[in-house]
Amino acid sequence: MKKLWAGILILAILLGVGILTSAVMQHNHRALSRDLKQAAVLAHIDWHQAKKLADAARAAWENQHYWVASLVDHEPLEEINSLFDQLALCIRDRDLEDFAAVCARIASIADMLEEANVPYWWNLL
């Protein structure tokens, strides 16, 4: 009987950790997407603010990239990394059109990652 309760406790802990991890990833991806969407809109209006938002988004991404990589598929993460490299070139060249497009593309991938990792009940089964 003790082994049964120990097994139930371990499963409950794993479920809690999984839900907490999903919630944290969802929060981080939502913030990344929000900042980059705002940067894309501000590119033609307030370049300095758009650049500041994009730089903050990149810094946040670099802080969370390694632990996110241990939890999700690597292909979208590699695409986000390459798009951030492309975004740096857009900032350097001050290419507003491409800057807005790259920001929007990164935001859409972040939205996709957020949606893919929501802890729905059927994911828990």
Side-chain angles (χ1 to χ4, degrees), residues 41-108:
V41 170
L42 287 174
H44 295 290
I45 300 167
D46 186 357
W47 170 248
H48 295 292
Q49 182 65 23
K51 182 182 173 299
K52 188 174 7 172
L53 282 169
D55 289 340
R58 182 176 187 130
W61 174 253
E62 288 174 353
N63 285 338
Q64 69 181 352
H65 174 260
Y66 294 107
W67 72 268
V68 171
S70 67
L71 300 170
V72 300
D73 183 28
H74 289 259
E75 188 175 331
L77 303 182
E78 295 299 325
E79 187 173 354
I80 288 176
N81 286 336
S82 68
L83 287 169
F84 268 122
D85 292 339
Q86 187 178 350
L87 190 64
L89 294 176
C90 293
I91 291 171
R92 185 194 69 195
D93 297 340
R94 206 172 160 113
D95 187 353
L96 303 181
E97 293 298 322
D98 284 346
F99 175 86
V102 171
C103 283
R105 179 70 181 132
I106 297 171
S108 71

Side-chain angles (χ1 to χ4, degrees), residues 5 9 21 34 69 71 85 89 97 102 105 112-114:
W5 286 111
L9 178 64
T21 301
R34 181 193 63 234
L71 300 170
D85 292 339
L89 294 176
E97 293 298 322
V102 171
R105 179 70 181 132
M112 183 270 308
L113 283 172
E114 176 188 346

Side-chain angles (χ1 to χ4, degrees), residues 104-123:
R105 179 70 181 132
I106 297 171
S108 71
I109 296 171
D111 288 340
M112 183 270 308
L113 283 172
E114 176 188 346
E115 182 66 28
N117 295 299
V118 173
Y120 293 115
W121 65 270
W122 55 83
N123 289 345

